[in-house]
Every structure is written in structure tokens, then in C-alpha cells.
Amino acid sequence: MDAVDPVVVESAAVLARHLRQGRDRRLAVLEWFAEAGMGVRPGAVPVPEPAIGTVRQALVWVLERSVSQRLVALARSAAGAGEEGQDALYAAAGRVLGAYRGAAHPALVRAALEAGEDVPVDAERDFRSMVHLVAAVGLGVQEVGTDALAEAFAAFGMFGLTVEDWAQMLGAAERGEGPPVDWGQLQQHADFVGQVQRAGDEELVRARTVMIGLRGFYGLYVLHGLLLPDTPAQAALRRRIDDLGVFPLLDHVMAVNPSPRQFAELLVVCLEPFYDNLYETLMEQLAEDPAVFRVPGDETGVVGFGEAWAGAVRDLPVPGRDGGAGVGPGERSAKRS
């Protein structure tokens, strides 16, 4: 009797791990694809790759049912539907985008925790103006206008550019006084399903690498706000991200622990060369100083790092108690809980 191929056995085991009763198999395939892209611990068995054709089918199935794709379809249908169609588009997109709220910057969160104050909320960031980008996909840029688009781009908060900055640049391009803007890219990139169908097999795998890498860099930046022990390597990575002005963008598009549906949308985003270049830039910085989890002067390495983090969380001052002074072991704030 011929021996069963170990890859077949491991593939069946991986799929079984992600399948649950009543769950669509395509969601399990996406989780499998995500797991196969993660690093392998020493001595562990590598997770085999699922068939890329099956992954592509799962991506298309998920994206066809995503909110993003439904908004694109609604935007395109509004083009010939008159004022009522346009009003319906703005109302639907506004409801979706109005649910997003920007979190406070991790540096502000860390300062508040260390001072025993309530964590701040960024009430100023409002993504509802991004509805103009959705409208531009269906109605056209000329119909929406550069002033409205300037508001939409500024909502991302990247590069530190204001509405006025964007309006000046877009206006100059419209008058032929600056580099031209290829608005056709906006139309093309809004179609997530089409991007997956056009991408090659290697492009999908590369997008997964970029997404997982950027998710890690974003996670380090965010966890700094949750008292992650700081190291020179971490500080250098944060400085590089700040110098590039891309943290607000990462904060908008990345998720530390995405669901399969979020994973599908993030994968498409990371097909863009911009994110590939950003990933390479941060990998170069990491190569210069890879000791992300080594506290200077502590020879215990990752173990000491973990103990330092646990100690920092344990010793947090509690808001409103003893003027923000630290509390004894086991005491915690109901509000913070």
C-alpha cells in the first residue's frame, strides 16, 4: 500500500482546524492561506500552501459580498440615476463611513496611562468626507469636484497634509500647473474583485507577505501606546513611520487580527506598489537594528522583555484614586476594565 503524501495529510489537518459546523469552506481557505504566510517556529512543521486557484476563488467570493464592493456597485449605478440616485449613494456611503472613528495616537494613549488619566478619544477625525471618493468612482471626478476630493484625502491624515494642502495640489493639477493626476487609477483600484482577478499568483502571495509585515509594524506602533517596553529598534521604526507620515494611513487600513473577510480586503489593498515599497523601507530599517524585543542592559532577551511589559501594566496608576498613584497588587479600576 502506497504511503500517503505528508503534505496531503497536513493540508487536511490545517483545513479541519479552520472549518466549523455551518461555516463556509471559503472562509476556512482564507484563514489557511493567512496561516501559511506566517513565520514558522523552530522545530515546527511548516503549514503547506493551499492551491492558489482555490484561494483566488475564495477571495472573489468574499469580496463580491463585501461592503466595499457593494458601495462601488452603488456608486456606478448612481451615475445614470439622477439626483435621487446620487442622494441614495451619499446617504448609504455616509452611514458606512460615519461609523469609523479615529483612535487617539498611541503616544497620547501611553502618556494618559502612565499619568493615570482616562484614555483620550480622537473626536476630530471624521471619515464621512471620504464619501466623496466613493461618489467619484461612480459619478466622475468632474462631478464631485476637487474641493470635495481634497476633504476626502485629508480625512486619511497621511503625510500631515491638510485640506488646504490637498486643494492646492489638486487645483494645480487641474489647471495644468502641476503633475497630472490619473483619475482612471481611482476607478480601477476601487474594484477589489477585478484586482484579484487580474493579479497573478505570485502577486497574491507577495501581497500576503506585505500585509503580514505591515501588520506587524503597525502592531508594534500601536502597542507602544499600551506600555510595550521601548527599545532603540522600536523607536527607530516609529521614527521612520513618522518621517514618512504614514501612520494615519496604516491606522485606517491595517488590522492587528483581521477576520477572513477583513483579510481579503487588506490583501487587495496590499497589491498596491505603494504598500510594497513601504514594507521594503521598514524591512530595511528593521535589518539595521533587529533587536526589537531586547531591552538595553537586560541579557534575558525576550523573557526579560515580557516581564518588563507585565510589570509596567501591573504598576499602572488608576484614574481618580490617590491622585493617580499606583495601587497594590490585584486592585484595578472598573472604568479601565
Side-chain angles (χ1 to χ4, degrees), residues 54-70:
T54 304
V55 172
R56 189 187 303 275
Q57 292 172 2
L59 287 169
V60 169
W61 180 80
V62 167
L63 293 170
E64 284 178 340
R65 290 156 179 77
S66 68
V67 173
S68 300
Q69 198 69 20
R70 289 201 298 270

Side-chain angles (χ1 to χ4, degrees), residues 227-279:
L227 305 183
L228 191 72
D230 206 4
T231 64
Q234 286 184 43
L237 281 168
R238 292 199 308 276
R239 281 196 301 272
R240 183 64 67 92
I241 290 173
D242 289 340
D243 290 344
L244 295 170
V246 294
F247 175 73
L249 185 61
L250 290 176
D251 196 35
H252 181 67
V253 303
M254 283 294 142
V256 175
N257 187 27
S259 68
R261 298 180 188 278
Q262 290 174 313
F263 174 86
E265 294 199 8
L266 295 180
L267 189 78
V268 180
V269 169
C270 290
L271 285 168
E272 297 293 332
F274 172 86
Y275 293 96
D276 197 306
N277 293 334
L278 176 59
Y279 167 73

Side-chain angles (χ1 to χ4, degrees), residues 229-232 291 293-309:
D230 206 4
T231 64
F293 300 118
R294 182 176 294 277
V295 178
D298 188 341
E299 299 303 321
T300 60
V302 176
V303 174
F305 184 92
E307 291 176 349
W309 193 10

